Amino acid sequence: MSVDNLSTQQGVVIIGAGLAGWHVIDAIRSKDKEIPITLITTDNGDRYHKPMLTMAISQNKSASDLVRATGEDAAKAANITLLANTQVNDIDAANQQLHLVSATRSDPVYTNYATISYDKLVLAMGAHPIFPKSLPQDLVWHVNHIERFGQLQEKLATGRQHVAIVGAGMVGTEIAEDLLKAGHQVTLIDLNEAPLAQMLPAKATARIAKAIESQGIQFLGGYQVTSVTRNQDDKLEVGYQPLAVEAANGESCAPLVVDHVIASTGLVVDDKLPAAAGIEFNPRTGIVVDSSTLSTNTANIYAIGDCMSIDGVACRYVAPLRAQAATIADDILGHEHEGYEHKPPMIRLKNKAISVMVTGVPQADGDWQIKTDSIDELVMELLNDSKEVRATATIKAPVVAKTS
Protein backbone atom coordinates (compact mmCIF):
# COMPACT_ATOMS: atom_id res chain seq x y z
CA MET A 1 0.00 0.00 0.00
CA SER A 2 1.24 3.50 -0.77
CA VAL A 3 2.04 5.80 2.13
CA ASP A 4 -0.02 8.45 0.32
CA ASN A 5 -3.15 6.69 1.59
CA LEU A 6 -2.10 6.70 5.24
CA SER A 7 -2.71 10.34 6.13
CA THR A 8 -6.07 9.65 7.78
CA GLN A 9 -5.30 6.11 8.92
CA GLN A 10 -3.56 6.13 12.29
CA GLY A 11 -4.45 3.39 14.75
CA VAL A 12 -1.65 1.03 15.74
CA VAL A 13 1.75 1.16 14.07
CA ILE A 14 4.26 -1.65 14.58
CA ILE A 15 7.93 -1.34 13.67
CA GLY A 16 9.45 -4.73 12.87
CA ALA A 17 8.05 -7.82 11.13
CA GLY A 18 9.82 -10.53 13.06
CA LEU A 19 8.12 -13.00 15.38
CA ALA A 20 7.44 -10.26 17.95
CA GLY A 21 5.74 -7.89 15.53
CA TRP A 22 3.53 -10.56 14.00
CA HIS A 23 2.60 -11.87 17.46
CA VAL A 24 1.29 -8.42 18.36
CA ILE A 25 -0.79 -8.35 15.17
CA ASP A 26 -2.21 -11.80 15.93
CA ALA A 27 -3.07 -10.75 19.48
CA ILE A 28 -4.81 -7.53 18.45
CA ARG A 29 -6.74 -9.20 15.63
CA SER A 30 -7.98 -11.92 18.01
CA LYS A 31 -9.66 -9.16 20.02
CA ASP A 32 -10.43 -6.48 17.41
CA LYS A 33 -10.88 -7.17 13.69
CA GLU A 34 -11.19 -3.55 12.54
CA ILE A 35 -8.73 -1.28 14.33
CA PRO A 36 -6.25 0.03 11.73
CA ILE A 37 -2.81 -1.61 11.98
CA THR A 38 0.24 -0.62 9.96
CA LEU A 39 3.34 -2.81 9.94
CA ILE A 40 6.63 -1.21 8.90
CA THR A 41 9.60 -3.39 8.05
CA THR A 42 12.92 -2.99 6.27
CA ASP A 43 12.42 -6.35 4.51
CA ASN A 44 9.44 -7.94 2.76
CA GLY A 45 7.72 -8.96 5.99
CA ASP A 46 7.61 -12.72 5.35
CA ARG A 47 6.53 -14.85 8.31
CA TYR A 48 9.00 -17.53 9.39
CA HIS A 49 10.13 -19.18 12.62
CA LYS A 50 13.54 -17.67 13.33
CA PRO A 51 14.85 -20.43 15.67
CA MET A 52 14.78 -22.78 12.68
CA LEU A 53 17.73 -20.93 11.14
CA THR A 54 20.21 -22.76 13.38
CA MET A 55 19.08 -26.21 12.30
CA ALA A 56 17.90 -25.80 8.69
CA ILE A 57 21.13 -26.34 6.75
CA SER A 58 21.48 -29.98 7.80
CA GLN A 59 17.82 -30.47 6.86
CA ASN A 60 18.62 -29.09 3.40
CA LYS A 61 15.98 -26.40 3.77
CA SER A 62 16.29 -23.20 1.79
CA ALA A 63 15.10 -19.81 2.96
CA SER A 64 11.93 -20.19 0.89
CA ASP A 65 11.22 -23.53 2.57
CA LEU A 66 11.14 -21.77 5.96
CA VAL A 67 8.66 -19.07 4.94
CA ARG A 68 5.22 -19.85 6.32
CA ALA A 69 3.52 -16.96 4.51
CA THR A 70 4.77 -14.09 2.41
CA GLY A 71 4.44 -10.65 3.93
CA GLU A 72 1.87 -9.66 1.32
CA ASP A 73 -0.30 -12.73 1.94
CA ALA A 74 0.02 -12.46 5.72
CA ALA A 75 -0.95 -8.78 5.62
CA LYS A 76 -4.06 -9.53 3.56
CA ALA A 77 -5.09 -12.34 5.89
CA ALA A 78 -4.70 -10.10 8.94
CA ASN A 79 -6.33 -7.06 7.30
CA ILE A 80 -3.37 -4.78 7.96
CA THR A 81 -1.32 -2.31 5.94
CA LEU A 82 2.20 -3.54 5.21
CA LEU A 83 4.91 -1.01 4.42
CA ALA A 84 7.69 -3.34 3.25
CA ASN A 85 11.24 -2.28 2.43
CA THR A 86 10.63 0.83 4.50
CA GLN A 87 12.70 2.23 7.33
CA VAL A 88 11.66 4.52 10.17
CA ASN A 89 14.18 7.32 10.20
CA ASP A 90 12.81 9.30 13.14
CA ILE A 91 10.10 9.24 15.81
CA ASP A 92 8.43 12.53 16.70
CA ALA A 93 6.86 11.44 19.97
CA ALA A 94 5.40 14.89 20.77
CA ASN A 95 3.27 14.82 17.61
CA GLN A 96 3.05 11.02 17.43
CA GLN A 97 4.50 10.83 13.96
CA LEU A 98 7.05 8.65 12.16
CA HIS A 99 9.33 9.80 9.38
CA LEU A 100 10.00 7.10 6.77
CA VAL A 101 12.66 6.46 4.18
CA SER A 102 13.12 3.72 1.63
CA ALA A 103 15.12 0.79 2.96
CA THR A 104 16.19 -0.19 -0.55
CA ARG A 105 17.79 3.08 -1.50
CA SER A 106 21.43 3.61 -0.49
CA ASP A 107 21.71 7.31 -1.41
CA PRO A 108 22.90 8.93 1.87
CA VAL A 109 21.27 12.25 0.99
CA TYR A 110 17.85 10.68 0.40
CA THR A 111 15.52 12.26 2.96
CA ASN A 112 12.07 11.45 4.31
CA TYR A 113 9.59 10.35 1.67
CA ALA A 114 6.62 10.17 4.04
CA THR A 115 5.38 11.08 7.49
CA ILE A 116 2.67 9.00 9.11
CA SER A 117 0.88 9.31 12.43
CA TYR A 118 0.08 6.76 15.11
CA ASP A 119 -2.27 6.46 18.06
CA LYS A 120 -0.23 3.63 19.58
CA LEU A 121 3.26 2.56 18.55
CA VAL A 122 4.88 -0.83 19.17
CA LEU A 123 8.63 -1.21 18.80
CA ALA A 124 9.36 -4.78 17.71
CA MET A 125 12.53 -3.96 15.83
CA GLY A 126 14.64 -6.72 17.34
CA ALA A 127 18.39 -6.62 17.85
CA HIS A 128 21.19 -6.92 15.33
CA PRO A 129 24.45 -8.90 15.42
CA ILE A 130 27.55 -7.40 16.96
CA PHE A 131 30.49 -7.31 14.57
CA PRO A 132 33.77 -6.56 16.37
CA LYS A 133 36.35 -4.67 14.29
CA SER A 134 38.20 -7.94 13.72
CA LEU A 135 35.15 -9.35 11.88
CA PRO A 136 34.53 -7.22 8.75
CA GLN A 137 30.90 -7.44 7.70
CA ASP A 138 31.75 -7.81 4.02
CA LEU A 139 33.62 -11.05 4.74
CA VAL A 140 31.69 -12.51 7.68
CA TRP A 141 28.23 -14.07 7.75
CA HIS A 142 25.52 -14.04 10.41
CA VAL A 143 22.32 -16.09 10.61
CA ASN A 144 20.14 -13.59 12.47
CA HIS A 145 17.86 -13.01 9.47
CA ILE A 146 16.38 -15.31 6.85
CA GLU A 147 17.74 -13.35 3.89
CA ARG A 148 21.35 -13.62 5.06
CA PHE A 149 20.79 -17.27 5.99
CA GLY A 150 19.53 -17.95 2.49
CA GLN A 151 22.63 -16.46 0.93
CA LEU A 152 24.90 -18.58 3.13
CA GLN A 153 22.86 -21.71 2.49
CA GLU A 154 23.34 -21.28 -1.26
CA LYS A 155 27.11 -20.99 -0.83
CA LEU A 156 27.29 -24.09 1.35
CA ALA A 157 25.19 -26.18 -1.05
CA THR A 158 28.10 -26.50 -3.47
CA GLY A 159 29.97 -29.14 -1.43
CA ARG A 160 31.90 -29.80 1.76
CA GLN A 161 33.50 -26.64 3.10
CA HIS A 162 35.39 -25.45 6.16
CA VAL A 163 33.45 -22.99 8.30
CA ALA A 164 34.76 -21.06 11.29
CA ILE A 165 32.20 -19.85 13.81
CA VAL A 166 33.24 -17.05 16.15
CA GLY A 167 31.28 -17.21 19.39
CA ALA A 168 30.21 -20.34 21.27
CA GLY A 169 27.02 -19.16 22.91
CA MET A 170 23.68 -20.85 22.27
CA VAL A 171 23.43 -19.86 18.61
CA GLY A 172 27.07 -20.51 17.71
CA THR A 173 27.02 -23.94 19.35
CA GLU A 174 23.80 -24.91 17.59
CA ILE A 175 25.02 -23.75 14.19
CA ALA A 176 28.26 -25.69 14.67
CA GLU A 177 26.40 -28.99 15.05
CA ASP A 178 24.01 -28.16 12.20
CA LEU A 179 26.89 -27.51 9.81
CA LEU A 180 28.70 -30.66 10.93
CA LYS A 181 25.57 -32.74 10.31
CA ALA A 182 25.39 -31.17 6.84
CA GLY A 183 28.84 -32.60 6.11
CA HIS A 184 31.01 -29.53 6.61
CA GLN A 185 34.23 -29.14 8.57
CA VAL A 186 33.63 -26.85 11.55
CA THR A 187 35.90 -24.85 13.83
CA LEU A 188 34.24 -23.11 16.77
CA ILE A 189 36.22 -20.28 18.39
CA ASP A 190 35.45 -18.51 21.65
CA LEU A 191 37.12 -16.21 24.15
CA ASN A 192 36.05 -18.57 26.93
CA GLU A 193 37.42 -22.01 27.64
CA ALA A 194 34.13 -23.77 26.86
CA PRO A 195 30.79 -23.17 25.09
CA LEU A 196 28.00 -21.39 27.01
CA ALA A 197 30.61 -20.14 29.47
CA GLN A 198 28.80 -16.85 30.10
CA MET A 199 25.70 -18.72 31.18
CA LEU A 200 26.90 -21.79 33.06
CA PRO A 201 29.73 -22.70 35.48
CA ALA A 202 32.87 -24.50 34.34
CA LYS A 203 31.75 -27.89 35.64
CA ALA A 204 28.74 -27.79 33.31
CA THR A 205 30.42 -26.23 30.29
CA ALA A 206 33.26 -28.74 30.37
CA ARG A 207 30.73 -31.46 29.59
CA ILE A 208 29.34 -29.45 26.69
CA ALA A 209 32.81 -28.88 25.25
CA LYS A 210 33.64 -32.58 25.50
CA ALA A 211 30.38 -33.54 23.79
CA ILE A 212 30.76 -31.24 20.78
CA GLU A 213 34.42 -32.15 20.32
CA SER A 214 33.50 -35.84 20.36
CA GLN A 215 31.38 -35.19 17.26
CA GLY A 216 34.34 -33.90 15.32
CA ILE A 217 33.91 -30.16 15.83
CA GLN A 218 37.24 -28.42 16.45
CA PHE A 219 36.80 -26.17 19.47
CA LEU A 220 39.33 -23.42 20.12
CA GLY A 221 38.56 -22.14 23.61
CA GLY A 222 40.38 -19.19 25.12
CA TYR A 223 41.27 -17.64 21.77
CA GLN A 224 40.59 -14.18 20.39
CA VAL A 225 40.05 -13.61 16.67
CA THR A 226 42.20 -10.67 15.59
CA SER A 227 41.49 -10.48 11.85
CA VAL A 228 39.69 -12.01 8.89
CA THR A 229 41.22 -11.42 5.44
CA ARG A 230 40.82 -12.93 1.98
CA ASN A 231 43.90 -14.53 0.43
CA GLN A 232 44.88 -14.94 -3.21
CA ASP A 233 43.17 -18.34 -3.39
CA ASP A 234 39.84 -16.72 -2.41
CA LYS A 235 40.01 -18.38 0.99
CA LEU A 236 39.56 -16.58 4.29
CA GLU A 237 42.46 -16.40 6.72
CA VAL A 238 41.38 -16.10 10.33
CA GLY A 239 44.04 -14.59 12.54
CA TYR A 240 43.74 -15.55 16.21
CA GLN A 241 45.79 -15.66 19.37
CA PRO A 242 45.50 -16.97 22.92
CA LEU A 243 43.44 -14.61 25.03
CA ALA A 244 46.15 -14.63 27.68
CA VAL A 245 48.78 -13.20 25.35
CA GLU A 246 51.41 -12.96 28.06
CA ALA A 247 51.20 -16.70 28.66
CA ALA A 248 51.85 -17.26 24.96
CA ASN A 249 54.81 -14.87 24.91
CA GLY A 250 52.78 -12.51 22.73
CA GLU A 251 52.82 -14.93 19.79
CA SER A 252 49.83 -15.33 17.50
CA CYS A 253 48.86 -18.67 16.02
CA ALA A 254 49.25 -19.51 12.35
CA PRO A 255 46.16 -18.24 10.46
CA LEU A 256 43.24 -20.63 10.18
CA VAL A 257 42.32 -20.99 6.50
CA VAL A 258 38.59 -21.51 5.92
CA ASP A 259 35.91 -21.03 3.28
CA HIS A 260 33.47 -19.08 5.43
CA VAL A 261 33.31 -17.27 8.78
CA ILE A 262 30.12 -16.85 10.78
CA ALA A 263 29.85 -14.29 13.57
CA SER A 264 27.87 -15.36 16.62
CA THR A 265 29.21 -12.72 18.95
CA GLY A 266 26.02 -11.43 20.51
CA LEU A 267 23.29 -8.91 19.78
CA VAL A 268 22.86 -5.19 20.32
CA VAL A 269 19.82 -2.93 20.05
CA ASP A 270 20.05 0.20 17.91
CA ASP A 271 19.46 3.23 20.12
CA LYS A 272 18.60 5.72 17.36
CA LEU A 273 14.81 5.46 17.49
CA PRO A 274 14.53 5.12 21.29
CA ALA A 275 16.74 8.20 21.68
CA ALA A 276 14.65 10.18 19.21
CA ALA A 277 11.49 9.32 21.14
CA GLY A 278 13.01 10.04 24.56
CA ILE A 279 12.63 6.41 25.60
CA GLU A 280 14.63 5.07 28.51
CA PHE A 281 17.33 2.84 27.09
CA ASN A 282 20.07 0.59 28.45
CA PRO A 283 23.01 0.18 26.03
CA ARG A 284 23.54 -3.39 27.21
CA THR A 285 19.98 -4.72 27.36
CA GLY A 286 17.89 -2.40 25.20
CA ILE A 287 14.60 -0.53 25.67
CA VAL A 288 13.38 -0.33 29.26
CA VAL A 289 9.69 -1.19 29.68
CA ASP A 290 7.20 -1.35 32.51
CA SER A 291 7.15 -4.96 33.67
CA SER A 292 3.35 -5.09 33.85
CA THR A 293 2.20 -3.27 30.69
CA LEU A 294 5.38 -3.41 28.52
CA SER A 295 4.93 0.30 27.87
CA THR A 296 7.93 2.60 27.70
CA ASN A 297 8.33 5.84 29.62
CA THR A 298 7.15 7.70 26.49
CA ALA A 299 3.37 7.91 26.18
CA ASN A 300 1.63 5.49 23.79
CA ILE A 301 4.81 3.57 22.90
CA TYR A 302 5.39 -0.10 23.77
CA ALA A 303 8.26 -2.50 23.11
CA ILE A 304 8.42 -6.27 22.74
CA GLY A 305 10.93 -9.01 21.98
CA ASP A 306 14.67 -8.77 21.44
CA CYS A 307 14.74 -4.97 21.59
CA MET A 308 13.40 -4.62 25.14
CA SER A 309 14.37 -5.51 28.68
CA ILE A 310 12.52 -6.09 31.93
CA ASP A 311 14.13 -5.32 35.29
CA GLY A 312 17.53 -5.02 33.67
CA VAL A 313 17.35 -8.36 31.84
CA ALA A 314 17.14 -8.55 28.04
CA CYS A 315 14.18 -10.60 26.75
CA ARG A 316 15.62 -12.52 23.81
CA TYR A 317 13.68 -15.77 23.82
CA VAL A 318 10.68 -16.81 21.76
CA ALA A 319 8.56 -18.52 24.43
CA PRO A 320 7.29 -15.38 26.25
CA LEU A 321 6.30 -13.50 23.07
CA ARG A 322 2.70 -14.71 22.96
CA ALA A 323 1.97 -13.56 26.52
CA GLN A 324 3.81 -10.28 25.92
CA ALA A 325 1.79 -9.61 22.78
CA ALA A 326 -1.49 -10.39 24.53
CA THR A 327 -0.68 -7.87 27.26
CA ILE A 328 0.20 -5.16 24.74
CA ALA A 329 -2.98 -5.87 22.77
CA ASP A 330 -5.19 -5.57 25.86
CA ASP A 331 -3.48 -2.37 26.96
CA ILE A 332 -3.73 -0.78 23.50
CA LEU A 333 -7.40 -1.70 23.17
CA GLY A 334 -8.23 -0.46 26.66
CA HIS A 335 -9.22 -3.88 27.95
CA GLU A 336 -8.85 -4.77 31.58
CA HIS A 337 -5.98 -7.17 32.14
CA GLU A 338 -4.00 -8.57 35.02
CA GLY A 339 -0.71 -7.34 33.62
CA TYR A 340 2.21 -9.23 32.21
CA GLU A 341 4.04 -11.48 34.64
CA HIS A 342 7.48 -12.23 33.31
CA LYS A 343 8.66 -15.78 33.85
CA PRO A 344 12.09 -16.69 32.50
CA PRO A 345 11.54 -19.37 29.85
CA MET A 346 13.05 -22.82 29.72
CA ILE A 347 16.28 -22.51 27.74
CA ARG A 348 17.10 -25.54 25.60
CA LEU A 349 20.20 -26.11 23.55
CA LYS A 350 19.04 -27.77 20.33
CA ASN A 351 22.18 -29.89 19.92
CA LYS A 352 21.82 -33.67 19.73
CA ALA A 353 25.31 -34.29 21.10
CA ILE A 354 24.20 -33.28 24.59
CA SER A 355 20.99 -32.21 26.32
CA VAL A 356 21.16 -28.82 28.04
CA MET A 357 18.09 -27.41 29.82
CA VAL A 358 18.22 -24.27 31.91
CA THR A 359 15.49 -22.50 33.87
CA GLY A 360 15.55 -19.18 35.68
CA VAL A 361 18.15 -16.47 35.15
CA PRO A 362 21.52 -18.21 34.81
CA GLN A 363 24.94 -16.61 34.99
CA ALA A 364 28.31 -18.28 35.07
CA ASP A 365 29.49 -16.66 38.28
CA GLY A 366 27.67 -17.31 41.49
CA ASP A 367 26.84 -19.91 44.10
CA TRP A 368 26.21 -23.01 41.98
CA GLN A 369 25.38 -26.08 44.03
CA ILE A 370 25.62 -29.63 42.67
CA LYS A 371 22.45 -31.69 43.10
CA THR A 372 23.32 -34.66 40.86
CA ASP A 373 26.69 -35.60 39.43
CA SER A 374 26.95 -38.81 37.43
CA ILE A 375 28.36 -39.88 34.08
CA ASP A 376 24.94 -39.49 32.48
CA GLU A 377 23.63 -36.40 34.25
CA LEU A 378 24.72 -33.21 35.98
CA VAL A 379 22.17 -31.07 37.82
CA MET A 380 23.20 -27.77 39.40
CA GLU A 381 21.32 -24.95 41.10
CA LEU A 382 22.31 -21.29 41.27
CA LEU A 383 21.45 -19.74 44.64
CA ASN A 384 21.02 -16.04 45.36
CA ASP A 385 22.21 -14.26 48.49
CA SER A 386 19.12 -15.48 50.35
CA LYS A 387 19.91 -19.07 49.35
CA GLU A 388 16.88 -19.21 47.09
CA VAL A 389 17.14 -21.00 43.75
CA ARG A 390 17.69 -18.47 40.97
CA ALA A 391 18.43 -20.93 38.15
CA THR A 392 18.69 -24.65 37.51
CA ALA A 393 20.83 -26.35 34.87
CA THR A 394 20.48 -29.96 33.76
CA ILE A 395 23.15 -31.46 31.49
CA LYS A 396 22.46 -34.95 30.17
CA ALA A 397 24.26 -37.32 27.87
CA PRO A 398 22.27 -38.05 24.70
CA VAL A 399 20.00 -41.06 24.71
CA VAL A 400 21.42 -43.68 22.37
CA ALA A 401 18.86 -45.86 20.65
CA LYS A 402 19.29 -49.53 21.42
CA THR A 403 19.81 -51.94 18.56
CA SER A 404 18.42 -55.44 18.62
Side-chain angles (χ1 to χ4, degrees):
M1 179 176 179
S2 170
V3 292
D4 296 334
N5 301 321
L6 293 174
S7 57
T8 59
Q9 178 180 322
Q10 297 181 11
V12 181
V13 176
I14 300 168
I15 302 175
L19 282 171
W22 280 111
H23 268 301
V24 174
I25 291 169
D26 291 341
I28 293 175
R29 279 291 175 254
S30 71
K31 305 168 189 290
D32 190 313
K33 304 297 184 184
E34 301 301 329
I35 185 172
I37 300 175
T38 300
L39 176 63
I40 305 173
T41 177
T42 56
D43 57 22
N44 56 19
D46 290 350
R47 298 197 71 166
Y48 68 97
H49 192 57
K50 186 174 176 180
M52 285 295 296
L53 297 182
T54 62
M55 53 194 301
I57 291 176
S58 64
Q59 298 176 7
N60 198 30
K61 290 187 176 181
S62 66
S64 60
D65 293 330
L66 300 179
V67 173
R68 297 177 174 180
T70 66
E72 183 178 0
D73 288 344
K76 288 180 180 178
N79 185 30
I80 68 165
T81 298
L82 173 65
L83 297 183
N85 302 308
T86 301
Q87 182 171 319
V88 178
N89 193 45
D90 187 36
I91 299 176
D92 179 356
N95 295 304
Q96 297 194 184
Q97 292 182 329
L98 305 177
H99 302 298
L100 310 179
V101 298
S102 171
T104 59
R105 184 161 177 170
S106 59
D107 184 352
V109 300
Y110 190 53
T111 55
N112 301 334
Y113 77 76
T115 299
I116 67 170
S117 300
Y118 63 86
D119 292 322
K120 302 290 183 179
L121 176 63
V122 181
L123 302 180
M125 56 194 191
H128 59 84
I130 297 172
F131 283 89
K133 292 182 179 179
S134 59
L135 301 178
Q137 294 191 45
D138 60 332
L139 296 179
V140 177
W141 299 93
H142 70 78
V143 291
N144 194 54
H145 189 275
I146 194 168
E147 181 179 0
R148 197 70 173 130
F149 162 83
Q151 295 168 353
L152 174 61
Q153 198 268 353
E154 288 181 6
K155 296 285 187 181
L156 293 173
T158 60
R160 187 174 192 266
Q161 297 172 57
H162 187 179
V163 183
I165 301 169
V166 183
M170 295 284 290
V171 172
T173 304
E174 290 176 355
I175 295 172
E177 182 177 276
D178 189 50
L179 291 173
L180 185 75
K181 289 166 62 179
H184 300 291
Q185 180 183 352
V186 181
T187 299
L188 181 60
I189 309 170
D190 197 88
L191 295 171
N192 299 289
E193 296 295 334
L196 277 61
Q198 292 186 323
M199 178 187 297
L200 299 174
K203 189 171 183 64
T205 59
R207 292 197 179 202
I208 301 171
K210 183 177 180 180
I212 66 168
E213 288 180 316
S214 70
Q215 293 180 288
I217 294 171
Q218 180 186 19
F219 178 66
L220 299 177
Y223 287 93
Q224 181 177 31
V225 172
T226 56
S227 64
V228 176
T229 57
R230 191 177 298 282
N231 65 22
Q232 60 184 4
D233 297 322
D234 206 33
K235 297 282 189 175
L236 295 178
E237 294 189 356
V238 180
Y240 66 103
Q241 64 186 24
L243 189 59
V245 176
E246 294 80 8
N249 298 320
E251 295 182 2
S252 296
C253 305
L256 181 69
V257 180
V258 300
D259 297 289
H260 301 284
V261 177
I262 299 174
S264 182
T265 46
L267 299 172
V268 66
V269 180
D270 192 333
D271 67 349
K272 179 182 176 181
L273 294 182
I279 293 171
E280 185 178 356
F281 185 86
N282 183 308
R284 186 178 59 86
T285 59
I287 297 168
V288 178
V289 299
D290 177 81
S291 60
S292 178
T293 62
L294 305 186
S295 59
T296 70
N297 63 308
T298 299
N300 300 313
I301 300 181
Y302 301 79
I304 183 174
D306 287 359
C307 69
M308 67 91 163
S309 63
I310 296 176
D311 297 330
V313 179
C315 298
R316 292 177 181 162
Y317 295 98
V318 171
L321 288 179
R322 195 177 301 277
Q324 292 170 4
T327 296
I328 290 176
D330 281 332
D331 213 64
I332 284 176
L333 297 172
H335 296 171
E336 289 188 8
H337 62 90
E338 296 180 354
Y340 176 69
E341 182 181 356
H342 185 62
K343 298 178 181 179
M346 167 82 73
I347 302 169
R348 293 178 181 268
L349 185 72
K350 295 197 286 285
N351 290 48
K352 299 297 184 181
I354 191 165
S355 171
V356 179
M357 294 182 293
V358 183
T359 59
V361 184
Q363 61 182 41
D365 298 329
D367 183 13
W368 285 93
Q369 299 293 315
I370 298 173
K371 307 301 292 184
T372 302
D373 187 1
S374 67
I375 295 176
D376 296 327
E377 183 179 42
L378 173 66
V379 180
M380 302 183 71
E381 291 180 344
L382 174 63
L383 307 182
N384 61 19
D385 293 339
S386 301
K387 300 303 179 182
E388 299 170 327
V389 177
R390 181 181 180 185
T392 300
T394 302
I395 319 295
K396 291 184 178 182
V399 177
V400 179
K402 296 181 179 179
T403 57
S404 56

